Amino acid sequence: MRRRRTDDAGASLAELLVTLAVMSVVMALFTGAIVQIYRTVNATEALSDSQNELSRAFQRFDRELRYASWIADPSNQDAASTGPWYVEFAGPDPTACFQLQLIPGAQNKGVLRLLTWTRGAPPPAGTPGQTIASQVDTTAGRRPFFERQAYGATPYASPTATPSGGAVGTGFQSVFQRLRIKLTTRSGAGTAQIDTTFTALNTTKDTPAGNGCSEGRPTP
């Protein structure tokens, strides 16, 4: 009987098992890489969305607060407060009232909203404003979220060194009412932050402490 040629010989069971084991390792590595890429893309997109939200919030604040004619003292700014947190201000037309609302949510993530109304016709209690940003970190370490600086305030008590060797900051005195807004959004392990002080150019030293727009502040 003629002998079978070696190139027609089939694979042994051992060779098949080794091949399957190698392919299993390759597939596991490939699948793990795809999953990691997917998670990274999702985290990047979520962080980008948070940054875009804060960027839009900054533009909105700059437009509304730059020409404000009065700013209220913010509510519930102590470290023990569980919110909600509010601050009201009047527009260049003093009958146009605005309220920033930071409403706490689950897992220390709040929603920032802007409520508007005409002075003398406040909205019913509990009326939600327009959502500006979400997933705002409301942990105690992030507070205060809103900080009012009155006319004549000196908010920079500690001097800041300059490249020339001097220091600036301690001599600054505000000639307007100002509102500092400090917010951080969290998405997974990523964070985005806004920490900006907005100057109300329509305020002066004669701007009264009270204003009708305070009617929009919910009572405890």
Side-chain angles (χ1 to χ4, degrees), residues 30-177:
F30 177 77
T31 303
I34 294 298
V35 170
Q36 184 61 38
I37 291 173
Y38 179 77
R39 289 176 177 171
T40 301
V41 169
N42 279 350
T44 301
E45 289 181 348
L47 180 58
S48 177
D49 289 342
S50 296
Q51 291 173 332
N52 288 337
E53 275 193 335
L54 285 185
S55 177
R56 289 192 295 270
F58 174 87
Q59 294 171 2
R60 184 70 180 269
F61 296 154
D62 189 55
R63 185 169 63 250
E64 305 291 3
L65 279 165
R66 179 185 294 272
Y67 302 107
S69 56
W70 169 82
I71 299 175
D73 282 320
S75 69
N76 301 333
Q77 296 304 292
D78 59 279
S81 171
T82 57
W85 300 271
Y86 302 98
V87 62
E88 295 79 30
F89 59 95
D93 175 358
T95 64
C97 299
F98 301 83
Q99 181 186 76
L100 285 174
Q101 312 169 332
L102 181 54
I103 311 299
Q107 298 179 343
N108 289 320
K109 291 184 179 180
V111 178
L112 181 68
R113 295 172 176 162
L114 179 65
L115 181 64
T116 62
W117 71 94
T118 300
R119 193 170 70 178
T127 301
Q130 177 187 3
T131 298
I132 298 179
S134 57
Q135 301 191 78
V136 178
D137 189 346
T138 57
T139 55
R142 301 294 185 182
R143 304 168 194 168
F145 308 112
F146 310 125
E147 179 184 347
R148 176 181 177 270
Q149 297 171 6
Y151 176 92
T154 54
Y156 308 120
S158 300
T160 301
T162 65
S164 61
V168 297
T170 54
F172 173 81
Q173 187 174 44
S174 176
V175 295
F176 300 99
Q177 291 183 359

